[in-house]
Amino acid sequence: DSRQGSIQRRIRQYAALSQPEVCLELAQKLAQCRGKGQRKFLMRGQRGVKVKSAKLERSIAQMKSILKQIPKTTSLESLLGVEGSLAGLYFGALPCLINADVPPELHFSHRNRRPPKDRFNALLSFGYALLIKDVMNAILTVGLEPALGFYHQPRSQAAPLALDLMEIFRVPLVDLPVMAAVNRGQWDVVADFEVRGPQVWLSEVGRRKFINLYEQRKEETWKHPATGYSLTYRRLLELEVRLLEKEWMGEGGLFA
């Protein structure tokens, strides 16, 4: 019975996501959610910084005007361009949130990956790898098809729908706890990392420490602005998959 139900769900998902206008609308919601979350995080960090940063203020202002372009995009390609500009501004400004007393080894200038070239990027990459696994589990629990997404073309083995949905959670579940731990001096620049030439990875100790921080963060609660319910991020992962499904079941409006 549930197998039959799951097949029905996937047929509906397939029908919805083979319509370009549905994909664009969902992708716009996703880009808006991530861009606004990034900008809010910078604004929050700005309040905590002792010395006002002109670069930070400029990035926050530029992001606001770029966010207005999202609803005007007419294709996934143009949306990816807008999202790329937002991400560039965000990662360019993120170093401004690092406290002055943080060791120089933990500072960074821009996002790099495959492989990460500094400790901060190693932390982000490891966090995103944990996150995509959790998003994948949530998709499978709900019974949707992870291979069928609506926005990102996978560059790796990752499932497209997991790459899409993970956008919602990058800032709250990875960027925020990473920055907080860096500013609190929780990382040991020697013991927690392995440097191999230009590549930097977390050591075994560092990975265990990160997993603890990440698991703690998932247990924190968040009040959903639309429903007013408070729930843990762990529960929210699954809720967002269900809200996505509602978008093509005729009960949309709460996704992302």
Side-chain angles (χ1 to χ4, degrees):
D1 170 56
S2 75
R3 177 164 166 71
Q4 199 51 42
S6 179
I7 290 169
Q8 288 306 319
R9 304 185 101 117
R10 289 175 183 217
I11 289 170
R12 286 191 295 260
Q13 176 188 359
Y14 185 78
L17 299 188
S18 25
Q19 300 171 52
E21 66 282 8
V22 173
C23 292
L24 180 62
E25 196 181 322
L26 291 172
Q28 285 170 334
K29 288 183 180 186
L30 213 54
Q32 196 92 34
C33 175
R34 185 183 178 191
K36 279 185 170 161
Q38 288 173 328
R39 186 169 176 268
K40 259 194 196 124
F41 182 38
L42 293 179
M43 286 164 73
R44 231 179 87 171
Q46 186 183 32
R47 293 200 289 272
V49 178
K50 295 180 184 59
V51 186
K52 281 274 169 272
S53 156
K55 179 176 187 175
L56 186 54
E57 285 178 7
R58 204 165 50 241
S59 299
I60 290 169
Q62 286 173 304
M63 286 177 85
K64 186 178 185 175
S65 65
I66 294 175
L67 277 163
K68 294 193 179 109
Q69 296 171 20
I70 290 176
K72 300 175 192 157
T73 53
T74 54
S75 69
L76 294 178
E77 289 69 40
S78 59
L79 182 60
L80 279 164
V82 172
E83 199 191 24
S85 309
L86 285 167
L89 285 165
Y90 170 70
F91 284 113
L94 208 51
C96 303
L97 304 190
I98 298 176
N99 293 344
D101 56 4
V102 167
E105 293 91 339
L106 281 163
H107 286 252
F108 81 116
S109 61
H110 63 284
R111 176 81 181 114
N112 56 63
R113 53 195 173 281
R114 286 190 293 273
K117 296 177 180 64
D118 57 67
R119 287 169 176 79
F120 198 97
N121 276 293
L123 292 167
L124 290 180
S125 289
F126 187 68
Y128 296 151
L130 293 178
L131 175 59
I132 198 161
K133 276 202 209 84
D134 279 341
V135 171
M136 188 70 177
N137 285 337
I139 293 168
L140 295 172
T141 301
V142 173
L144 294 186
E145 173 50 69
L148 193 64
F150 51 87
Y151 186 26
H152 294 96
Q153 295 305 310
R155 281 185 300 248
S156 59
Q157 294 302 300
L161 191 61
L163 285 174
D164 288 347
L165 289 171
M166 125 185 222
E167 293 293 306
I168 298 173
F169 297 100
R170 283 176 190 264
V171 173
L173 285 184
V174 180
D175 302 5
L176 195 146
V178 162
M179 183 63 80
V182 164
N183 281 336
R184 279 197 301 261
Q186 284 181 288
W187 301 106
D188 180 319
V189 298
V190 179
D192 291 339
F193 299 91
E194 279 176 20
V195 182
R196 304 179 215 151
Q199 307 180 8
V200 184
W201 308 95
L202 278 122
S203 65
E204 184 57 45
V205 185
R207 288 198 294 270
R208 276 206 302 272
K209 190 187 282 189
F210 194 114
I211 290 166
N212 277 335
L213 276 169
Y214 176 75
E215 291 297 328
Q216 277 170 1
R217 178 64 180 157
K218 280 195 303 192
E219 291 313 320
E220 288 180 28
T221 54
W222 182 80
K223 189 174 176 188
H224 197 288
T227 62
Y229 290 128
S230 284
L231 68 172
T232 62
Y233 280 104
R234 187 185 297 285
R235 296 269 313 281
L236 191 62
L237 283 159
E238 195 180 308
L239 176 68
E240 280 295 347
V241 183
R242 295 191 185 280
L243 293 177
L244 170 64
E245 189 181 28
K246 282 184 184 297
E247 291 289 325
W248 55 77
M249 297 291 285
E251 309 163 48
L254 291 178
F255 171 64

